Amino acid sequence: MAVDIEKVKITMIRNNLPLLNQMMKDLQDYKGSLGPGPYWLANQENTITWLSHNELSTFRQYDPTSKALGNFSGSSYWPNLDQRTQRSREISASFLYRLVRKLQLRPVLNAYNSLVREQILPARLVSLYAQSLSQLIELKDTDSNFAKIEFYTEDQPSDLLVIQGKQLTPISAEKFLLFLRLKEILKLQELSTFVEIGPGAGQLNEIIAKVYPGCKQFLIDIPPQLYVTELFLASMFGEAVMPYESSRTCFDFRSTTQTIYPIAPWIAEQAELPKIDLFMSQIFEEMPHDTVADYLKLARKWESRYVFVTTILSKHGEKAFSPAQYKAALPEYELLYQEKSMPDSLPTPNGTTNPSYDLLFKRK
């Protein structure tokens, strides 16, 4: 019997450094093809350092100096706007500002006014951004799934938005729009089994767990990212999440009772899973081609009904796995859908971009 996700009590995210150390030791011992490529190896040390010296409950706070947080969908897009608004009020109410206005010291007054505008402008831009997201969600959410979800915000991310009366982060809003795109492309009414390679902190998985509470989700990533995924989702769904201590010795997940399974690649290589409704990844462009090919072999092994990937032409100067390579690696599948999605970068002076593509394959 599956754990009832809707009855799980929400708690704060707690650090568990012995767990992180165990994960990293297991990764060090692993010699297979699904380990970190050069891109992640270059970021791994900074991420571990941050996790070792900070409370995990703060991983969605704004930090302009640490790239480590962004490696697992952490940090915030902007600092707390209430603080900026308060700062603008403090400047306007200060004795010096009022004195400068009274004396009409124009150069100094202009500098003060500019500082006040700098505090206010981001709030206006965020308001417009929230309105745009709200309109998109209202337009595309034909089954009113948004109304079913209360997003996790107990850790008080810096960049909280309010959309249709609900608090959520921009990443959660973007993941909800991705969920709606998947739902539209696949014509999903139900989702029983789901695999994601590289789930980040698990924001998409939070949505799936709340819209399809019985869905078994298998979330495959390397630590330290896997560490954050597990503890973030466990803070919401408690015993519905299989802990790493259990998954690291479990190779047959077909009759287990949890609904969320953060799994390391060295377990996934040998794992027996139920037939998968949807296998997806949006991070294959960050991996060596051999690693992508081996993950696609797992999609075939688990008889995944659909395979959805987002890919770009190149990443950090290296050619990514191409649509033609995906077709060759999935011989039992037909390509149902190929569309450009959001560009990975702004146009260069000569007008070129690095577009990304959504590819959907269906098992024949």
Side-chain angles (χ1 to χ4, degrees):
M1 180 178 173
V3 176
D4 188 346
I5 283 177
E6 295 177 351
K7 293 181 180 178
V8 173
K9 183 180 178 181
I10 291 176
T11 59
M12 291 297 287
I13 310 168
R14 301 298 180 191
N15 260 356
N16 184 347
L17 294 184
L19 171 62
L20 176 61
N21 293 336
Q22 180 65 65
M23 286 184 173
M24 297 311 301
K25 181 182 182 303
D26 291 348
L27 174 60
Q28 186 176 12
D29 293 341
Y30 174 64
K31 306 304 179 186
S33 65
L34 302 183
Y39 175 79
W40 280 114
L41 282 173
N43 290 285
Q44 185 171 280
E45 184 177 347
N46 286 337
T47 303
I48 294 170
T49 299
W50 190 94
L51 291 169
S52 300
H53 293 87
N54 293 274
E55 285 297 326
L56 196 53
S57 288
T58 67
F59 89 95
R60 292 200 292 175
Q61 297 295 311
Y62 179 72
D63 185 345
T65 62
S66 177
K67 183 183 182 299
L69 290 165
N71 292 336
F72 48 82
S73 303
S75 191
S76 288
Y77 286 170
W78 50 77
N80 186 291
L81 294 178
D82 289 340
Q83 294 175 0
R84 296 182 74 104
T85 301
Q86 179 61 29
R87 175 63 179 149
S88 71
R89 290 171 179 163
E90 290 172 357
I91 294 171
S92 299
S94 69
F95 171 77
L96 284 177
Y97 179 69
R98 287 184 283 118
L99 178 63
V100 167
R101 286 189 62 183
K102 183 175 181 179
L103 298 177
Q104 284 297 298
L105 301 176
R106 186 55 56 185
V108 181
L109 183 60
N110 289 343
Y112 264 113
N113 288 337
S114 177
L115 187 58
V116 170
R117 284 194 296 271
E118 285 178 7
Q119 304 301 317
I120 294 174
L121 181 59
R124 292 176 178 171
L125 294 175
V126 167
S127 177
L128 290 173
Y129 178 56
Q131 289 175 34
S132 298
L133 286 173
S134 180
Q135 290 167 0
L136 272 173
I137 289 170
E138 187 173 357
L139 177 67
K140 295 180 177 294
D141 186 21
T142 55
D143 294 332
S144 300
N145 287 298
F146 193 75
K148 302 175 186 177
I149 302 172
E150 291 299 327
F151 294 89
Y152 180 85
T153 59
E154 271 69 9
D155 55 334
Q156 289 297 303
S158 303
D159 56 354
L160 280 177
L161 301 171
V162 178
I163 296 178
Q164 298 179 21
K166 294 180 182 289
Q167 285 193 328
L168 70 163
T169 66
I171 290 178
S172 291
E174 291 163 5
K175 292 295 184 181
F176 185 75
L177 288 170
L178 170 62
F179 167 78
L180 293 179
R181 190 159 85 248
L182 291 169
K183 201 166 182 290
E184 178 185 8
I185 296 170
L186 276 66
K187 298 180 172 54
L188 283 180
Q189 295 303 317
E190 292 296 331
L191 187 64
S192 298
T193 51
F194 174 73
V195 168
E196 184 173 12
I197 311 300
Q203 287 96 334
L204 174 62
N205 315 110
E206 175 191 1
I207 293 164
I208 290 173
K210 290 176 177 177
V211 177
Y212 302 118
C215 178
K216 285 199 168 189
Q217 300 190 65
F218 301 93
L219 314 177
I220 302 170
D221 212 335
I222 53 174
Q225 289 76 25
L226 184 69
Y227 170 78
V228 179
T229 305
E230 176 180 327
L231 295 190
F232 180 65
L233 292 173
S235 71
M236 288 178 265
F237 303 120
E239 294 178 359
V241 180
M242 177 178 274
Y244 181 73
E245 290 90 338
S246 299
S247 69
R248 70 191 291 262
T249 57
C250 178
F251 298 97
D252 191 338
F253 296 86
R254 290 172 293 187
S255 59
T256 49
T257 59
Q258 291 93 344
T259 52
I260 300 173
Y261 300 84
I263 300 175
W266 47 91
I267 302 299
E269 278 182 329
Q270 308 170 64
E272 296 294 336
L273 304 186
K275 288 185 179 180
I276 299 301
D277 290 338
L278 175 60
F279 176 105
M280 74 164 284
S281 180
Q282 293 190 295
I283 65 162
F284 279 156
E285 72 270 6
E286 297 168 355
M287 300 181 185
H289 290 196
D290 289 347
T291 303
V292 176
D294 285 343
Y295 270 123
L296 295 175
K297 287 176 184 176
L298 292 179
R300 296 164 62 195
K301 170 189 171 182
W302 297 326
E303 298 183 35
S304 305
R305 185 181 181 193
Y306 292 101
V307 175
F308 177 88
V309 296
T310 299
T311 187
I312 58 178
L313 297 180
S314 64
K315 186 79 172 184
H316 305 295
E318 300 290 333
K319 287 186 177 179
F321 213 70
S322 69
Q325 287 174 297
Y326 281 105
K327 292 178 187 177
L330 295 167
E332 304 93 346
Y333 291 77
E334 59 179 326
L335 180 62
L336 291 184
Y337 178 92
Q338 177 175 336
E339 292 288 342
K340 280 187 179 181
S341 50
M342 294 292 289
D344 186 58
S345 57
L346 294 174
T348 61
N350 63 10
T352 62
T353 60
N354 190 16
S356 63
Y357 294 86
D358 292 336
L359 306 175
L360 177 66
F361 295 87
K362 182 180 181 181
R363 191 175 180 87
K364 297 175 184 176

